[in-house]
Amino acid sequence: MKATVTVMLKQGVLDPQGEAVKSALGSLGFQGVAGVRQGKVIELDLAPGTTEAEVTAMCEKLLANTVIESYRVEMGA
Amino acid sequence: MKATVTVMLKQGVLDPQGEAVKSALGSLGFQGVAGVRQGKVIELDLAPGTTEAEVTAMCEKLLANTVIESYRVEMGA
């Protein structure tokens, strides 16, 4: 089974990567980009029967730095 | 309006970051993780009326390296 974890910096945490992308989009002539936030997405290929609680434990222990990042778990088929 | 762009390495392209996460999860005692792929997610805050075609152009020009990465655009409200 698959699970997808999306990790984003929390609101209020400075995102220099996102700022760089925003600035680069402006330089390329794309107008009206008011904000950019960049995060990471982790696709996990898991053994059948793995629970969402286990994936949440993976996030808490390794995948996200919960001091500055929030995460979202989506369980797939 | 919001748009979310998800950029992943194409199938067959080696993903050392994902391999490192897989190995670290194993070391932490999480069993049955058969594969991990890591990509990035970019949340764009755009001017009202921005079309999906414009976001696709941003991907082609800047956000994704289309030689080795594939991308998916989701337009939000």
Side-chain angles (χ1 to χ4, degrees), chain A residues 6-9 11 15 18 21 25 33-39 72, chain B residues 1-6 40-46 63 74:
Chain A
T6 308
V7 180
M8 299 296 295
L9 285 168
Q11 292 298 325
D15 179 2
V21 169
L25 285 172
V33 180
V36 180
R37 305 283 287 175
Q38 183 167 335
R72 193 171 67 240
Chain B
M1 67 182 303
K2 303 269 185 189
T4 304
V5 174
T6 308
K40 54 191 173 177
V41 55
I42 300 153
E43 291 184 357
L44 300 158
D45 191 2
L46 298 164
L63 303 179
E74 287 161 71

Side-chain angles (χ1 to χ4, degrees), chain B:
Chain B
M1 67 182 303
K2 303 269 185 189
T4 304
V5 174
T6 308
V7 180
M8 298 296 295
L9 286 168
K10 287 181 179 170
Q11 292 298 325
V13 178
L14 202 67
D15 179 3
Q17 224 175 351
E19 287 301 311
V21 169
K22 181 182 160 190
S23 150
L25 285 172
S27 306
L28 286 170
F30 292 105
Q31 301 299 316
V33 179
V36 179
R37 304 284 287 176
Q38 184 167 332
K40 54 191 173 177
V41 55
I42 300 153
E43 291 184 357
L44 300 158
D45 191 2
L46 298 164
T50 307
T51 62
E52 187 164 342
E54 284 174 274
V55 180
T56 301
M58 292 177 195
C59 293
E60 293 284 338
K61 282 196 181 164
L62 180 76
L63 303 179
N65 174 358
T66 53
V67 177
I68 54 167
E69 292 172 329
S70 60
Y71 61 86
R72 194 172 67 240
V73 175
E74 287 161 71
M75 302 299 287

Side-chain angles (χ1 to χ4, degrees), chain A residues 40-59:
Chain A
K40 55 191 173 177
V41 55
I42 300 153
E43 292 184 357
L44 301 158
D45 190 2
L46 299 164
T50 307
T51 62
E52 187 164 342
E54 284 174 273
V55 180
T56 301
M58 291 177 195
C59 293

